[in-house]
């Protein structure tokens, strides 16, 4: 078995060593963009040996101008006849689409015949429409941003281009992060959603519902983690890589530690103390950004109290997270987001992947925000 190579390195080497010379020989005048982007843990750099079992290996995307789409079949024919059977120990040949497994393809080692490579050829507009449901990123409004899969925005931000004569990378810079108004709305939403259950961690425990207490803690913890991504202005990946990416954020380790301890706590006091401590630390981060004018608004939020207090005199510790949400809302006054309920996006709900990852539902997702 060959030594594992990270997919980004493998694909970069495959293109430069194998594909580029073939294109220069057979299509010397072709104006194209080629790179690695979109689906796959390799795009994000999280791939390991387990990742190699499907849709992983020497691969790339090739983008053509509209007027040159008629050479797709010729390109595929040349690649099939000229590609080697393996590269750095990994098969360049792949199976046909598996109809019983969502069209997945698997590496299949061969030693004769034509290669069936794992490559994708599109025009840029065609690819973006298929992948996220839009291609003119200069015309996006605030609601449009709420209908995109955050994970897919991340995979586009992490794109690596080997050749970019069509300027695809420049187009993608418009998607590098949420516009300020959307960012503020998502901040307010996640604080508000955390506040919805802020009293339930202790309350559930006190009535004998330990399982309910742990679940409430976990839901709040996820909201706090999402706030961590937002304050770092980084897109969050979907649930498989969510925790991994969170640990890599440029965020105070005390925040990460408090969240981890809260979720793992068996004792209710340890659970509650760490969860509220994480909220307090994030509130302090929020207040520090207010002082640094990070909100880029002439009407900054005033620093909000981060004091840990009892919940209306009860034996429950809170910082009243909703106060932070309420402090942000005035900054949205002149935007399309001003009167929206603070629900964030559906891509912040871990198991809604089949809904927010499918571009055909984008218009229906818009109705969540336009018909309220």
């Amino acid at each position: 078995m060959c030594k594992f190579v990270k997919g980004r390195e493998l694909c970069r080497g495959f293109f430069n060593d194998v594909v580029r010379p073939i294109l220069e020989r057979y299509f010397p005048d072709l104006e194209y963009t080629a790179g690695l982007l979109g689906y796959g843990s390799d795009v994000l750099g999280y791939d390991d040996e387990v990742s190699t079992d499907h849709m992983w290996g020497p691969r790339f995307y090739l983008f053509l101008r509209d007027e040159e789409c008629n050479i797709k079949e010729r390109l595929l024919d040349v690649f099939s006849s000229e590609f080697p059977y393996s590269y750095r120990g990994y098969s360049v040949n792949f199976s046909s689409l598996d109809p019983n497994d969502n069209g997945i393809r698997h590496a299949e080692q061969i030693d004769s015949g034509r290669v069936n490579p794992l490559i994708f050829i599109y025009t840029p507009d065609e690819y973006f429409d298929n992948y996220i449901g839009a291609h003119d990123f200069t015309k996006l409004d605030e609601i449009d941003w709420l209908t995109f899969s955050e994970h897919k925005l991340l995979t586009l931000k992490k794109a690596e281009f080997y050749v970019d004569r069509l300027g695809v990378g420049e187009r993608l810079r418009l998607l590098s992060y949420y516009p300020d108004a959307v960012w503020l709305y998502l901040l307010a939403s996640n604080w508000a959603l955390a506040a919805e259950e802020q009293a339930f961690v202790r309350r559930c425990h006190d009535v004998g519902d330990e399982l309910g207490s742990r679940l409430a803690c976990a839901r709040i913890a996820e909201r706090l983690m999402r706030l961590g991504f937002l304050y770092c202005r980084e897109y969050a990946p979907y649930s498989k890589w969510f925790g991994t990416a969170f640990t890599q954020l440029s965020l105070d380790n005390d925040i990460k530690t408090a969240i981890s301890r809260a979720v793992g706590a068996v004792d209710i006091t340890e659970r509650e103390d760490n969860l509220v401590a994480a909220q307090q630390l994030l509130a302090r981060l929020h207040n520090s950004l207010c002082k640094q004018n990070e909100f880029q608004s002439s009407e900054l939020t005033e620093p909000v109290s981060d004091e840990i207090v009892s919940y209306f005199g009860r034996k429950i510790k809170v910082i009243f997270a909703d106060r932070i949400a309420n402090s942000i809302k005035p900054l949205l006054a002149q935007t399309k987001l001003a009167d929206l309920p603070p629900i964030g996006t559906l891509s912040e709900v871990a198991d809604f992947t089949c809904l927010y990852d499918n571009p055909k539902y984008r218009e229906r997702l818009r109705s969540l925000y336009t018909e309220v």
Side-chain angles (χ1 to χ4, degrees):
M1 184 176 182
C2 57
K3 181 180 178 182
F4 176 70
V5 180
K6 281 284 191 178
R8 289 176 74 92
E9 178 185 344
L10 183 72
C11 294
R12 185 188 310 119
F14 177 66
F15 183 84
N16 289 324
D17 296 342
V18 176
V19 183
R20 190 194 297 264
I22 292 173
L23 288 172
E24 290 174 351
R25 185 163 68 253
Y26 286 91
F27 305 92
D29 299 321
L30 183 65
E31 292 292 308
Y32 67 90
T33 287
L36 183 67
L37 69 166
Y39 86 86
S41 54
D42 50 352
V43 173
L44 302 181
Y46 296 140
D47 52 324
D48 56 20
E49 290 185 6
V50 175
S51 309
T52 66
D53 69 348
H54 69 285
M55 299 297 286
W56 186 99
R59 67 188 185 94
F60 62 96
Y61 281 82
L62 184 66
F63 296 101
L64 305 175
R65 299 181 187 278
D66 289 345
E67 56 269 29
E68 291 174 316
C69 285
N70 60 338
I71 69 166
K72 279 186 182 181
E73 292 304 318
R74 186 178 166 212
L75 280 161
L76 291 171
D77 181 65
V78 169
F79 291 152
S80 292
S81 61
E82 294 291 328
F83 278 178
Y85 294 127
S86 65
Y87 177 77
R88 294 184 66 173
Y90 289 99
S91 176
V92 177
N93 182 71
F94 283 77
S95 68
S96 300
L97 304 178
D98 185 347
N100 299 314
D101 191 12
N102 299 308
I104 291 297
R105 298 178 65 191
H106 304 273
E108 284 188 348
Q109 194 70 55
I110 59 173
D111 55 17
S112 64
R114 294 168 62 84
V115 172
N116 188 13
L118 188 63
I119 61 175
F120 310 90
I121 303 177
Y122 293 98
T123 67
D125 287 1
E126 178 186 21
Y127 173 75
F128 292 135
D129 284 337
N130 287 339
Y131 193 62
I132 60 170
H135 66 263
D136 188 348
F137 306 138
T138 65
K139 296 181 179 179
L140 300 178
D141 65 17
E142 293 140 346
I143 304 298
D144 285 324
W145 282 90
L146 300 179
T147 66
F148 289 141
S149 159
E150 184 175 2
H151 178 81
K152 286 190 172 183
L153 291 173
L154 175 62
T155 64
L156 293 177
K157 182 177 181 178
K158 294 292 186 179
E160 178 181 353
F161 295 104
Y162 317 129
V163 175
D164 191 13
R165 295 172 186 158
L166 305 187
V168 177
E170 186 64 30
R171 290 176 65 173
L172 285 180
R173 287 192 182 93
L174 296 174
L175 301 182
S176 60
Y177 199 62
Y178 294 121
D180 284 346
V182 177
W183 176 65
L184 288 167
Y185 171 73
L186 293 175
L187 282 173
S189 293
N190 280 280
W191 278 114
L193 292 167
E196 288 284 347
E197 297 188 282
Q198 62 189 334
F200 296 171
V201 176
R202 166 66 71 168
R203 180 61 176 150
C204 287
H205 169 83
D206 288 350
V207 298
D209 182 7
E210 179 65 9
L211 179 59
S213 173
R214 293 187 184 192
L215 288 173
C217 175
R219 285 191 292 268
I220 295 172
E222 182 180 349
R223 291 298 163 186
L224 300 182
M225 291 168 72
R226 293 195 178 279
L227 285 167
F229 282 99
L230 288 163
Y231 283 121
C232 291
R233 292 184 186 256
E234 295 282 353
Y235 290 129
Y238 80 133
S239 59
K240 179 163 64 171
W241 305 116
F242 184 71
T244 299
F246 177 74
T247 64
Q248 298 172 358
L249 288 176
S250 299
L251 196 66
D252 185 344
N253 277 329
D254 288 344
I255 297 174
K256 299 175 185 178
T257 298
I259 291 174
S260 180
R261 287 177 176 171
V263 174
V266 175
D267 177 76
I268 182 58
T269 299
E270 182 182 1
R271 184 182 309 143
E272 182 183 48
D273 285 352
N274 278 287
L275 192 63
V276 76
Q279 293 174 68
Q280 183 182 57
L281 290 168
L282 281 164
R284 289 175 179 172
L285 174 59
H286 174 90
N287 288 336
S288 72
L289 294 177
C290 293
K291 294 174 183 176
Q292 295 168 25
N293 199 23
E294 286 293 319
F295 290 121
Q296 302 177 12
S297 170
S298 59
E299 187 184 354
L300 293 175
T301 70
E302 292 295 327
V304 180
S305 173
D306 57 38
E307 182 184 5
I308 297 174
V309 297
S310 66
Y311 185 71
F312 299 107
R314 301 169 191 168
K315 185 188 172 184
I316 297 172
K317 296 177 182 178
V318 296
I319 65 162
F320 285 110
D322 43 321
R323 290 187 297 198
I324 303 176
N326 292 334
S327 75
I328 296 172
K329 288 179 182 177
L331 301 181
L332 300 172
Q334 304 304 315
T335 74
K336 292 184 177 181
L337 311 176
D339 299 319
L340 297 185
I343 61 172
T345 73
L346 288 187
S347 68
E348 294 177 316
V349 182
D351 49 2
F352 277 14
T353 312
C354 62
L355 179 60
Y356 62 72
D357 254 14
N358 194 328
K360 76 178 184 180
Y361 295 125
R362 279 195 62 230
E363 284 305 311
R364 299 186 195 182
L365 294 182
R366 281 187 67 90
S367 67
L368 287 175
Y369 307 100
T370 57
E371 297 178 13
V372 295

